[in-house]
Amino acid sequence: IMLTGDQPSTAKSIAEELHIVSSSNAGEVVNISEIDTSKADSLSEVLSKSSVLARVQPEMKLAIVRSLQSMGYVVAMTGDGINDATSLRQADIGVSMGLNGTSVAREASDMVLTDDNFASIVHAVEQGRNIYANITCAIAYLLTASLASGFTVMAAVCFDTGLPLSPLQLLWLNLIMHIFPALGLVMQKSNPSLMKNKPRGRKQNILSKREFIEITMRSAIVAAATITVANLYQS
């Protein structure tokens, strides 16, 4: 959503150039000074239908951020002036300009664009998603390896078949299975389709229930194979 203090005609021209609105749909540009922003319902209705708000006063930005948050959105707010500080602090992610922004705006924000380029925000989101995906893969791998070792020892104790792995072997496996493969997973490049995925929810766990089931199944298969091979070797 584009917020500007300019006139609606100027805002519409800029928004068309940025492809925020189409030239055939002028209804997406709203003169916010004609709306009673003190009423939450009126402001929410405008925000749900409009992409460009013109004649926005500095004090209105804070109300807009709060209204979007009350609607369940995760709000990222960009700004560069002293008047933007309150809304930058209120937003879930405050983004300020590093070159032309004021020191007050930078201090109130969570992210500072050192090149004042909005494309940097997209790159930051992509990097964040890639880091999160890599951490998820690494955790899933480490849990699989640890559970497989645990299931192997538990099965050997329960069925009294003798430990297929000595404590020294288990330490060696932890060394070679946990450090280097996990490091490779964390450092891998992003998937080309990463930015096409929907944002994850605020309350979404790092591993889903399905992933936990897959981890358990893989661990059980590895443990069964280990015990089978160990028994064959011992016999």
Side-chain angles (χ1 to χ4, degrees):
I1 299 176
M2 173 181 163
L3 310 180
T4 177
D6 295 327
Q7 296 290 340
S9 57
T10 306
K12 183 176 182 296
S13 177
I14 296 173
E16 288 176 2
E17 186 176 348
L18 296 174
H19 302 288
I20 297 176
V21 297
S22 60
S23 57
S24 60
N25 193 354
E28 295 184 15
V29 180
V30 174
N31 187 346
I32 197 68
S33 61
E34 299 175 353
I35 307 297
D36 187 2
T37 55
S38 62
K39 296 181 179 179
D41 293 341
S42 301
L43 186 56
S44 298
E45 184 179 357
V46 171
L47 293 172
S48 62
K49 296 180 180 180
S50 305
S51 301
V52 179
L53 304 182
R55 302 299 297 165
V56 177
Q57 299 299 319
E59 61 273 11
M60 295 180 182
K61 295 179 181 179
L62 181 60
I64 291 170
V65 171
R66 287 175 173 171
S67 180
L68 288 169
Q69 289 174 329
S70 67
M71 295 165 66
Y73 290 105
V74 176
V75 181
M77 173 75 184
T78 60
D80 58 2
I82 296 176
N83 294 328
D84 296 326
T86 54
S87 54
L88 287 171
R89 194 179 299 277
Q90 175 65 32
D92 298 288
I93 306 171
V95 184
S96 64
M97 305 299 124
L99 294 178
N100 298 318
T102 62
S103 59
V104 176
R106 291 196 296 269
E107 291 174 3
S109 61
D110 304 294
M111 180 191 301
V112 178
L113 300 180
T114 57
D115 56 359
D116 286 9
N117 191 340
F118 275 31
S120 300
I121 300 176
V122 180
H123 296 317
V125 172
E126 184 177 6
Q127 287 293 325
R129 287 189 176 192
N130 185 47
I131 291 171
Y132 186 88
N134 290 346
I135 290 175
T136 302
C137 290
I139 291 176
Y141 169 78
L142 293 174
L143 284 177
T144 301
S146 299
L147 283 176
S149 301
F151 286 164
T152 301
V153 174
M154 288 174 57
V157 172
C158 292
F159 295 104
D160 196 21
T161 58
L163 292 178
L165 299 171
S166 66
L168 185 60
Q169 288 174 325
L170 286 172
L171 288 174
W172 173 247
L173 284 175
N174 285 335
L175 178 64
I176 64 173
M177 291 175 63
H178 287 189
I179 298 178
F180 300 108
L183 184 62
L185 288 172
V186 171
M187 299 296 293
Q188 68 179 342
K189 295 182 179 180
S190 62
N191 191 317
S193 62
L194 186 66
M195 292 298 288
K196 296 181 181 179
N197 300 333
K198 293 182 178 180
R200 65 181 184 275
R202 289 188 178 190
K203 299 181 180 180
Q204 180 178 330
N205 296 324
I206 192 168
L207 292 177
S208 63
K209 183 178 180 181
R210 178 182 177 181
E211 288 172 324
F212 274 115
I213 294 174
E214 291 177 352
I215 290 170
T216 304
M217 291 178 63
R218 286 196 295 264
S219 302
I221 292 172
V222 172
T226 303
I227 293 175
T228 301
V229 172
N231 289 336
L232 292 174
Y233 178 78
Q234 291 174 358
S235 60

